Amino acid sequence: IAGEYYADQQRRLNNERDYRKKRLEEFQEAIQENLRGLSTEIIAELVDERERQNLTQKDVADITGILPYNLARFETGTRIPTLVVLEKYASALDKHIEIRLCDNEKNN
């Protein structure tokens, strides 16, 4: 009886672990997709501003210390930059990034 009890407990723990793992993966995918969209919008604005100021990627790279090929990867959307990198980029253009905490649209 004790063996069956422990086997049942182990199955429940395994099922719960698998459920949590799947839920975490789904959450991370949703967050990544959301971040990709947000960073794409911000980067598009930064690129527009960079071009408006007649600066090249190399100019921004020299000011920020971001490697030129990384800057190109951010601008083409092949890599999602961190907030620190976005702020460095914005600062090079004499701009800054503002962050707001908002309700998710799906909850409204």
Side-chain angles (χ1 to χ4, degrees):
I1 293 180
E4 290 176 27
Y5 172 78
Y6 289 117
D8 187 49
Q9 288 294 95
Q10 189 62 44
R11 275 192 297 278
R12 276 193 247 165
L13 288 173
N14 288 340
N15 288 341
E16 185 176 325
R17 183 196 65 223
D18 293 344
Y19 170 76
R20 287 176 186 234
K21 182 179 177 183
K22 181 180 176 196
R23 199 167 153 208
L24 177 61
E25 288 170 357
E26 290 170 355
F27 178 75
Q28 288 174 330
E29 287 175 18
I31 293 297
Q32 283 286 64
E33 189 58 37
N34 190 32
L35 284 176
R36 189 175 322 281
L38 289 172
S39 67
T40 299
E41 291 173 25
I42 293 169
I43 290 169
E45 289 183 46
L46 290 170
V47 171
D48 288 345
E49 181 63 22
R50 174 179 64 75
E51 291 171 348
R52 191 184 70 67
Q53 293 184 22
N54 294 316
L55 295 172
T56 65
Q57 286 180 345
K58 183 170 179 357
D59 294 331
V60 173
D62 290 344
I63 294 168
T64 61
I66 300 169
L67 295 173
Y69 65 86
N70 281 335
L71 196 63
R73 289 165 55 188
F74 300 144
E75 287 192 2
T76 59
T78 58
R79 185 150 185 221
I80 299 173
T82 65
L83 181 57
V84 171
V85 169
L86 289 173
E87 184 60 32
K88 282 182 178 183
Y89 193 143
S91 292
L93 304 174
D94 199 27
K95 304 289 181 184
H96 71 276
I97 306 289
E98 288 186 2
I99 299 174
R100 295 181 313 150
L101 184 62
C102 305
D103 291 332
N104 283 329
E105 291 178 14
K106 66 181 178 182
N107 292 334
N108 293 333

